[in-house]
Amino acid sequence: QQQVKQSPQSLIVQKGGISIINCAYENTAFDYFPWYQQFPGKGPALLIAIRPDVSEKKEGRFTISFNKSAKQFSLHIMDSQPGDSATYFCAASPAYNTDKLIFGTGTRLQVFP
Amino acid sequence: DAGITQSPRHKVTETGTPVTLRCHQTENHRYMYWYRQDPGHGLRLIHYSYGVKDTDKGEVSDGYSVSRSKTEDFLLTLESATSSQTSVYFCAISESTVTNSPLHFGNGTRLTVT
């Protein structure tokens, strides 16, 4: 019940295309869903996050879609660029206990020119 | 980058030897965390601290201990390293545990146990 399942494990997208990464959770106590971006040799960094009071959140080319009934959320990267090539992690936790953040297994995105 | 320094950045050690990894922050954040990152497992919490001398176990704490004697330093110790502890270790900090206080990660320590 504590797991966050992430797919796909790897993703290859052409420049200008849409990258979609999916995550699913079981624990209904989770109500904070961040995405982290990690470049090689670096630590993960917060990219965008959503609470379940909204079904979608957009920041620039990055959008989180959230489906509370299905307990699923996804990251969409529009107009994907080679600079977006990185590993992406979804995560989930209760909103007031982010010390209990559970991470997905990661998706390695490669964007080719 | 948030002011987080992990040392060493790389270490190779032999099975059975003790190893200590250090995390130093200059942000004066209350919360500090140690994660390990392994292919197919993502990031898993080892231990965390919510203040000086206050620590708690995470998901994968067996074989690890931590200490925090100062706000800025959080040490992770492998008392007797095993090959299964070969991993990349990340330190993270946060100001609080509410959603407007995200985790900030260091750049990791790559540990190889031979």
Side-chain angles (χ1 to χ4, degrees):
Chain A
Q1 198 178 18
Q2 284 291 87
Q3 278 188 314
V4 176
K5 295 182 180 178
Q6 183 171 348
S7 63
Q9 189 172 1
S10 63
L11 184 60
I12 299 174
V13 173
Q14 203 149 20
K15 178 181 174 181
I18 302 173
S19 304
I20 302 174
I21 305 170
N22 300 299
C23 286
Y25 64 99
E26 291 292 327
N27 191 339
T28 55
F30 290 161
D31 58 359
Y32 170 63
F33 305 93
W35 286 87
Y36 281 79
Q37 179 188 54
Q38 183 183 29
F39 293 106
K42 299 290 188 181
L46 180 67
L47 181 64
I48 186 172
I50 196 169
R51 296 285 311 278
D53 51 339
V54 296
S55 60
E56 187 175 281
K57 183 174 181 180
K58 184 176 180 181
E59 289 185 3
R61 296 183 294 108
F62 300 89
T63 299
I64 300 179
S65 297
F66 182 77
N67 185 330
K68 187 173 182 178
S69 61
K71 289 187 281 188
Q72 294 175 348
F73 57 110
S74 60
L75 176 68
H76 296 236
I77 307 174
M78 311 301 287
D79 186 26
S80 298
Q81 299 296 312
D84 298 330
S85 297
T87 299
Y88 293 81
F89 293 95
C90 63
S93 76
Y96 294 98
N97 286 105
T98 57
D99 52 328
K100 304 286 189 276
L101 204 60
I102 302 293
F103 285 86
T105 51
T107 296
R108 185 181 176 207
L109 171 65
Q110 295 174 273
V111 181
F112 286 96
Chain B
D1 289 350
I4 306 168
T5 303
Q6 290 187 234
S7 58
R9 290 298 312 277
H10 302 271
K11 185 166 183 68
V12 180
T13 191
E14 292 184 350
T15 298
T17 60
V19 176
T20 295
L21 308 183
R22 181 180 184 239
C23 178
H24 178 80
Q25 61 144 329
T26 58
E27 306 296 321
N28 200 36
H29 282 357
R30 178 181 173 188
Y31 292 83
M32 298 186 76
Y33 310 79
W34 277 107
Y35 286 87
R36 61 177 290 174
Q37 182 176 8
D38 304 287
H41 291 277
L43 292 148
R44 292 180 292 174
L45 183 64
I46 305 170
H47 282 281
Y48 66 100
S49 169
Y50 43 93
V52 174
K53 295 192 165 93
D54 290 324
T55 65
D56 205 350
K57 295 179 180 180
E59 178 188 359
V60 290
S61 59
D62 286 349
Y64 302 94
S65 63
V66 290
S67 66
R68 190 168 179 202
S69 58
K70 297 186 287 185
T71 298
E72 58 266 35
D73 290 325
F74 193 32
L75 304 180
L76 177 71
T77 297
L78 292 66
E79 300 290 346
S80 177
T82 68
S83 58
S84 65
Q85 293 176 313
T86 292
S87 186
V88 181
Y89 292 86
F90 286 97
C91 173
I93 64 174
S94 69
E95 204 164 5
S96 73
T97 61
V98 296
T99 59
N100 63 349
S101 178
L103 294 180
H104 298 282
F105 286 85
N107 287 328
T109 294
R110 183 174 294 275
L111 176 67
T112 302
V113 183
T114 62

